[in-house]
Amino acid sequence: MDYFTALRVFVRASQIKSFSAVAAELGMEVSTVSRHISRLETDLEAALFNRTTRGLHLTEAGTLLQERASQIMTDLDHAREEIMLHNASPRGLLRINLPTAFGRRHIIPYMAEFLAAFPDIRIDVTLTDTTVDLIESGADVAIRIGALPDSSLVAKRLSGQSRMIVGTPDYIRKAGLPEVPEDLFSHSCLLFTLQSGNTWHYRNSDKPDSPFEKLTVAGLMKANDSEAILEATLKGIGLALLPNWLIGKDIQAGRLVRLLADFEWVLAPGAERAIWAVYPPKKVVAPKVKSFIHFVSRKFKDPMYWEQN
């Protein structure tokens, strides 16, 4: 008796409760499926199914075997997949989920280099600022920014993220230079529409363990998009609290000036804000996913290129 095949037939029959459905799925005759089950029962000296007009029902012995055999089949499948993937080159369709502004600025520009390095990979990119369920959407990997909620996803930290208060030199000349956080009360502060309350939070950079203090600010404009707020800031409408990856080039070029740099600023206190690669938990991570994460990890090394100079 081919014990491995017999166990696989038994496990599928216990799951879908039909010999004919198992036969169709595995490309066998129904009589062959029945013969595998009969030989198992003879070998084990126990009935595995009760057969009625309403279908198949596991016996006590069948239930015990199903619990053990299902795990054995799963482990064998994982072992086979792991061995096959161990020496496999990265290939296939890679579905990537990216935050809109970050993806446009810091992932898409490198995709030509990535595809040249891995010519057997094709990519399907979704740009959205909505947190997508990776398993439900079928995405292989995502880049996420900020504090990660508790979840079953596997996360790799790519880089830290900080926020800075910035304004144009012209705006500062006209409105004045804020020297302490409370000076922001007299400035136009650009806000995120989706932000909870018109508050920014700060603490002294020399006291990283101290609690954040809350500052309620106001301004001439709100927007639900960080690039829109950046554009408004560059036009001199006001000051903004923006992520370093978005404003690095503008600071380096002198288009924006960092303000109140002695303080650490966040939109809301909480867990570590960082840039992460996340993917669904699997015993075997596909080479295409590994290659993408390794590629972006090499690009996003602290200190980041947007923080230089």
Side-chain angles (χ1 to χ4, degrees), residues 63-269:
T63 299
L64 178 61
L65 179 62
Q66 196 268 350
E67 292 173 354
R68 302 294 181 87
S70 292
Q71 186 59 55
I72 290 170
M73 292 297 104
T74 299
D75 289 344
L76 283 171
D77 287 340
H78 283 160
R80 180 173 178 270
E81 184 181 19
E82 188 169 0
I83 291 169
M84 291 177 67
L85 289 175
H86 180 71
N87 293 319
S89 61
R91 64 179 61 249
L93 180 63
L94 178 65
R95 295 180 175 88
I96 308 170
N97 185 265
L98 301 174
T100 304
F102 185 86
R104 286 184 182 137
R105 290 168 177 259
H106 302 294
I107 300 294
I108 298 301
Y110 294 119
M111 285 300 92
E113 181 183 345
F114 175 73
L115 291 172
F118 301 100
D120 293 326
I121 290 180
R122 294 172 293 117
I123 56 174
D124 181 347
V125 178
T126 299
L127 294 167
T128 177
D129 292 321
T130 302
T131 301
V132 174
D133 185 318
L134 296 191
I135 296 174
E136 184 177 309
S137 67
D140 297 299
V141 62
I143 300 296
R144 292 197 173 154
I145 300 174
L148 287 181
D150 292 335
S151 74
S152 61
L153 298 177
V154 180
K156 176 178 175 55
R157 186 183 185 277
L158 300 175
S159 172
Q161 181 200 235
S162 61
R163 286 184 176 268
M164 302 174 184
I165 295 180
V166 292
T168 63
D170 187 56
Y171 173 88
I172 295 167
R173 279 193 296 270
K174 293 176 181 177
L177 179 71
E179 297 181 349
V180 295
E182 290 74 17
D183 288 345
L184 295 176
F185 293 144
S186 61
H187 284 267
S188 171
C189 297
L190 309 181
L191 298 164
F192 286 96
T193 305
L194 302 179
Q195 183 182 344
S196 178
N198 298 342
T199 57
W200 293 346
H201 298 77
Y202 69 95
R203 65 184 173 192
N204 196 300
S205 298
D206 294 334
K207 300 177 181 178
D209 296 325
S210 63
F212 282 94
E213 297 187 51
K214 182 168 68 174
L215 195 72
T216 301
V217 295
L220 299 173
M221 177 179 165
K222 285 186 176 182
N224 68 344
D225 179 80
S226 57
E227 287 183 306
I229 292 179
L230 170 59
E231 184 63 23
T233 307
L234 289 168
K235 295 298 184 183
I237 296 176
L239 305 180
L241 179 55
L242 292 169
N244 53 356
W245 55 262
L246 183 63
I247 57 178
K249 287 185 177 180
D250 292 305
I251 291 176
Q252 292 165 6
R255 291 185 291 268
L256 292 176
V257 177
R258 183 182 181 185
L259 305 170
L260 298 168
D262 291 336
F263 299 90
E264 178 185 353
W265 293 89
V266 296
L267 290 178

